[in-house]
Amino acid sequence: MRHRHAFVLLGSVQTTLIFTLTAIAVPLPQIGRELDLERHDLVLLSAAYGLAFAGLLLFGGRLADRYGGRRALVAGLALFAAGSATAPFAPGLEALLAARFAQGTGAALVAPAAMAVLRAAFPSPTAYGKAMATWGGLSVLGATAGNLLAGVILSLLSWRWTFVVPLAVAAGALALTRRLLPPTAPNPGRALDLPGALLAAAGTALASYGLVLTDARPWSSGGVLVPLLGGAALLTAFLYSERRVRDPLLPTRFLLDRRRALALASIALSACGTSMTFIVLSLHLQQTRDWSPLQTSAAFVPFAFALLASGRATGPLIVRYGARALTTAGLGTAAAGLALLASTGLDAHIPYAYGLLPGLVLLPAGTAAAFGGAAVLATQDVPQQQIGLAGGVMNSAMELGPTVLFALLLTLDGDAWSLAAAGAALAVTALLNHRTD
């Protein structure tokens, strides 16, 4: 029973981290009107949380491994709560961006720490594998909840109230951590690799920022090229430095496993497709079809039901058919959903039941299966002393999808092409995963 309570608490926290990533999608038009923002400002605001989250996840995983998962979890929750508490009072874009960065920084520590505590709560490999099968689907659940609940909040209150949800969950988790979660042993012998952490965070954030700017500026402009090239240079320096330090932040051999690499690619692309669908359709329904925020959220209700049904079936299906087979099937199903959304979903003349609904059922059914199977594959055979690293890498993939890949795909000629390209990438990954021995 204590293990179940620990999973519920940690799962609620993980779901809330992704909720916070996507809950801003539906309110974006309202935020833009109130703060007088352009489209590229809204894209940057949407990506700000993910930039900090993705850039600092590897370092967050190292902190969890060194100081213990539960201690790192408490520190991350406190910072996450602080960012959530200040965001509702933001008077303009700069203050809101700062609050979102603070949330993302706290989340970068919480996510890998939660996985470290989860491993301590389920020491049996079999029990841990079952827990991870469910854990993988929590991210898509959080993304869906963000869109649904945001629409309800906007119809009754203001977009500023959407930040109350992460604040309440973080405060509750802080109050229950010591009572429900097992202690985790620190590993003081592990070096922190501060230079590597700074290079990884700055390189990821700078390159992602450059990609975000391509939504409003040409690739050849200095405003795009400078951050892109600067980020690429910093990431190159990071990879070089990792080969020279005794205890690297990201051991190269950790990613050389083909199975793990494809699992991480599956997570990144699935997260990208889901996030892109939420933001593109939220803007399309409100700006092109003139739907209200509540109607926009209601459009995703079938998405939520398909997600819950698929997530519930994921664990038993992994036991029966294996994680790799389920990941492949999930990727293929999600790719079909994105293809349908790209071909019919953005046509305002096609009714919702024919244009949007089929894709909004296939996409979540596939991504829930792909997330669950890929989470198992990405964490298999990882020793306890590297579980924070595994959590950091897995969550990095989860955050780089909605930030870097999303920003890159948005540079294509129109939203339909962006959705189609995401679907094609999922299909290719499914084929590669199927052919993995």
Side-chain angles (χ1 to χ4, degrees):
M1 184 63 70
R2 186 177 179 87
H3 292 170
R4 183 177 299 176
H5 289 162
F7 184 87
V8 170
L9 177 60
L10 293 170
S12 299
V13 169
Q14 175 68 13
T15 302
T16 303
L17 297 184
I18 309 303
F19 169 96
T20 307
L21 177 69
T22 61
I24 204 169
V26 173
L28 279 177
Q30 188 181 103
I31 295 173
R33 290 191 297 269
E34 181 175 327
L35 302 183
D36 193 25
L37 304 179
E38 301 293 335
R39 177 183 166 91
H40 65 274
D41 294 323
L42 296 178
V43 174
L44 178 60
L45 183 59
S46 173
Y49 175 81
L51 291 179
F53 199 165
L56 292 169
L57 265 168
L58 290 176
F59 190 54
R62 174 55 58 87
L63 290 173
D65 286 338
R66 176 167 180 174
Y67 294 106
R70 196 172 75 172
R71 184 181 298 178
L73 181 69
V74 169
L77 284 171
L79 182 56
F80 181 77
S84 302
T86 57
F89 303 100
L93 176 63
E94 292 77 11
L96 189 54
L97 283 173
R100 292 282 286 174
F101 270 106
Q103 284 183 311
T105 302
L109 187 53
V110 169
M115 283 192 61
V117 177
L118 184 70
R119 183 65 172 268
F122 294 89
S124 165
T126 301
Y128 180 69
K130 291 180 179 179
M132 284 306 303
T134 304
W135 188 267
L138 293 177
S139 298
V140 191
L141 177 61
T144 308
N147 279 266
L148 295 178
L149 192 54
V152 175
I153 292 174
L154 258 66
S155 66
L156 300 174
L157 301 165
S158 160
W159 61 267
R160 298 177 184 272
W161 286 87
T162 58
F163 293 97
V164 173
V165 176
L167 175 60
V169 173
L174 283 169
L176 295 173
T177 291
R178 287 190 176 276
R179 184 185 308 174
L180 298 182
L181 301 183
T184 51
N187 185 5
R190 302 216 67 183
L192 287 180
D193 188 18
L194 288 174
L198 291 173
L199 288 171
T204 301
L206 200 58
S208 301
Y209 177 70
L211 288 172
V212 168
L213 291 181
T214 59
D215 186 65
R217 303 179 184 179
W219 283 81
S220 58
S221 67
V224 171
L225 284 177
V226 170
L228 276 180
L229 295 177
L234 290 173
L235 290 175
T236 301
F238 166 70
L239 294 175
Y240 178 75
S241 69
E242 292 299 278
R243 299 177 61 182
R244 298 176 63 87
V245 297
R246 181 181 60 84
D247 193 6
L249 193 67
L250 179 60
T252 306
R253 62 183 179 277
F254 191 81
L255 298 179
L256 291 181
D257 184 281
R258 179 180 172 87
R259 178 186 60 188
R260 182 175 292 121
L262 284 173
L264 294 173
S266 301
I267 291 171
L269 289 169
S270 297
C272 173
T274 302
S275 178
M276 179 181 297
T277 298
F278 286 148
I279 293 178
V280 167
L281 292 186
S282 293
L283 293 173
H284 168 76
L285 292 174
Q286 294 180 73
Q287 295 179 347
T288 302
R289 302 197 186 194
D290 200 27
W291 286 23
S292 69
L294 186 59
Q295 287 175 309
T296 301
S297 289
F300 289 97
V301 169
F303 189 107
F305 279 109
L307 172 71
L308 291 172
S310 179
R312 187 175 182 84
T314 294
L317 288 174
I318 288 177
V319 173
R320 183 170 183 177
Y321 296 106
R324 184 167 66 87
L326 192 66
T327 302
T328 301
L331 291 171
T333 304
L338 284 171
L340 287 174
L341 291 173
S343 59
T344 62
L346 299 180
D347 190 337
H349 300 291
I350 300 178
Y352 170 85
Y354 304 106
L356 281 171
L357 185 58
L360 288 177
V361 171
L362 287 177
L363 176 62
T367 52
F371 264 112
V376 173
L377 294 174
T379 55
Q380 275 182 347
D381 305 323
V382 176
Q384 176 66 43
Q385 63 269 24
Q386 284 192 325
I387 195 61
L389 168 64
V393 170
M394 193 174 81
N395 281 280
S396 292
M398 202 177 297
E399 296 308 317
L400 287 174
T403 51
V404 176
L405 294 179
F406 180 25
L408 184 62
L409 290 173
L410 278 181
T411 63
L412 298 178
D413 188 19
D415 291 336
W417 281 105
S418 299
L419 292 172
L426 283 170
V428 171
T429 307
L431 179 61
L432 293 174
N433 192 66
H434 176 69
R435 298 183 61 168
T436 301
D437 294 329

